[in-house]
Amino acid sequence: MSHFSRVGILGRLGNDNVLNTLKNLIQLLSDRQIPFKIEDLLKNTLRNEDVDYATRAELGAFADLIIVVGGDGTLLGAARDMAIYDLPVLGINRGRLGFLTDIMPDQMEMVVSDVFSGNFIEEQRFLLEVKVRRGGEWVGSSAAMNDIVLHPGQSIRMIEFELLIDGQFVYSQRSDGLIVSTPTGSTAYALSAGGPLMHPKLNAIVLVPMFPHTLTSRPLVVDGDAAVCVRIGYENDLAPQVSCDAQNHLVTLQGDELHISKMSHSLRLLHPKNYDYYEICRTKLGWGSRLGNDG
């Protein structure tokens, strides 16, 4: 008996490698007689009228497992939309890094078969939500699994802002912006800005200044349940932007407040039974292997 009975499939658009893997996945599920539906945005890519297509909301109501074919960016978008349905998500890597989509295409048949047999590791990865408050009113919101980034947009200008944690003033800063990252996102933009790597199981948030105008401003790790508030200074002569996972964007004005906190919904991310986070880091980040012989 299969551990999962209905599958929803999401994928990256306009990529031949993704298309080939999708076709192989469809054949695998068909051979196992497991019902599945595919995101309707892929209909023109697949051009297969013999399968059922559905919106993401319909997939959330139909499936008990979501399989994402693409890169980490594809999975990030899926996570923001599908986390509310409390469905496990499995990622097939057709991108570059593969921190989240950690199953290679040549392993797909074996790993997917193992998953249907109940042989997998499940992790909970939390997401962040940002709300923009302007003049006492909420004017925008978005979510992120990796990071929420305050930045000047296309201008090369510094931003002035204040940071508060749980209502307590932390500092005022003049910099190119601020990265607010989950442990999942600590291997992404926050890493390139000098932030620490955080194990995905940690309940923590890291705040990484971007080129701050002071040598003593360093990344700050706070409790994952903390309430983060960023107040945009009135002295700024531009409208800073807020990017969520580098995919969703909000425009702010002078005096706006960004309220950032953990979402109530988390992502249930599945891995192969032999998943090793540190091995992923060694492979993707070029860390050194063992010295000498293991024996």
Side-chain angles (χ1 to χ4, degrees):
M1 181 177 178
S2 176
H3 197 80
F4 300 104
S5 58
R6 300 175 308 279
V7 176
I9 301 174
L10 287 72
R12 179 182 172 188
L13 300 176
N15 185 287
D16 290 340
N17 292 329
V18 170
L19 178 59
N20 292 333
T21 301
L22 282 172
K23 291 179 178 178
N24 292 336
L25 178 59
I26 289 171
Q27 188 62 53
L28 174 62
L29 296 176
S30 299
D31 291 344
R32 296 181 66 100
Q33 298 184 326
I34 294 176
F36 64 91
K37 291 185 179 182
I38 300 174
E39 183 179 12
D40 55 0
L41 295 178
L42 293 169
K43 187 172 184 178
N44 291 334
T45 299
L46 275 174
R47 298 182 181 179
N48 184 345
E49 299 298 333
D50 295 328
V51 300
D52 293 330
Y53 296 94
T55 65
R56 291 195 172 188
E58 291 168 341
L59 292 178
F62 163 79
D64 57 9
L65 171 67
I66 298 294
I67 298 180
V68 178
V69 180
D72 286 349
T74 307
L75 196 141
L76 290 173
R80 293 193 303 271
D81 291 338
M82 306 307 294
I84 60 173
Y85 300 105
D86 193 32
L87 297 174
V89 175
L90 184 71
I92 310 297
N93 185 16
R94 294 288 1 186
R96 287 175 294 181
L97 281 177
F99 275 102
L100 301 173
T101 51
D102 52 9
I103 300 168
M104 300 308 294
D106 59 356
Q107 302 172 324
M108 182 178 69
E109 182 174 354
M110 178 186 67
V111 173
V112 170
S113 297
D114 283 346
V115 167
F116 285 130
S117 299
N119 296 319
F120 57 83
I121 295 173
E122 179 175 330
E123 282 187 329
Q124 298 283 337
R125 301 285 186 96
F126 72 81
L127 288 79
L128 294 174
E129 181 179 33
V130 56
K131 296 181 179 180
V132 181
R133 190 174 180 87
R134 181 177 301 154
E137 297 184 358
W138 301 108
V139 297
S141 66
S142 189
M145 184 174 173
N146 263 356
D147 47 44
I148 295 168
V149 181
L150 173 69
H151 60 95
Q154 297 183 357
S155 302
I156 305 176
R157 304 289 293 274
M158 283 194 165
I159 305 170
E160 292 190 4
F161 59 89
E162 292 182 348
L163 174 66
L164 296 90
I165 305 292
D166 291 331
Q168 296 182 329
F169 176 74
V170 180
Y171 55 60
S172 61
Q173 187 175 105
R174 181 175 170 82
S175 68
D176 284 4
L178 182 70
I179 303 170
V180 183
S181 172
T182 65
T184 299
S186 69
T187 53
Y189 195 26
L191 176 64
S192 64
L197 287 182
M198 297 193 294
H199 194 280
K201 292 183 179 180
L202 284 176
N203 181 37
I205 298 170
V206 63
L207 301 99
V208 185
M210 299 164 58
F211 299 103
H213 207 246
T214 171
L215 295 177
T216 58
S217 187
R218 292 290 182 263
L220 177 63
V221 179
V222 300
D223 186 84
D225 295 305
V228 178
C229 177
V230 181
R231 292 176 178 168
I232 311 298
Y234 286 96
E235 300 79 7
N236 297 298
D237 56 359
L238 76 166
Q241 294 185 16
V242 177
S243 295
C244 296
D245 292 338
Q247 296 176 343
N248 291 348
H249 308 280
L250 302 170
V251 176
T252 67
L253 299 177
Q254 294 88 339
D256 282 359
E257 292 182 351
L258 310 179
H259 291 262
I260 301 171
S261 59
K262 182 195 293 185
M263 293 187 68
S264 57
H265 305 288
S266 60
L267 178 72
R268 297 171 59 192
L269 185 62
L270 302 189
H271 300 289
K273 195 68 176 178
N274 62 349
Y275 172 76
D276 183 337
Y277 172 74
Y278 300 108
E279 193 277 332
I280 294 288
C281 289
R282 286 194 303 274
T283 302
K284 307 301 180 182
L285 301 178
W287 289 0
S289 299
R290 292 180 184 268
L291 297 177
N293 297 323
D294 291 344

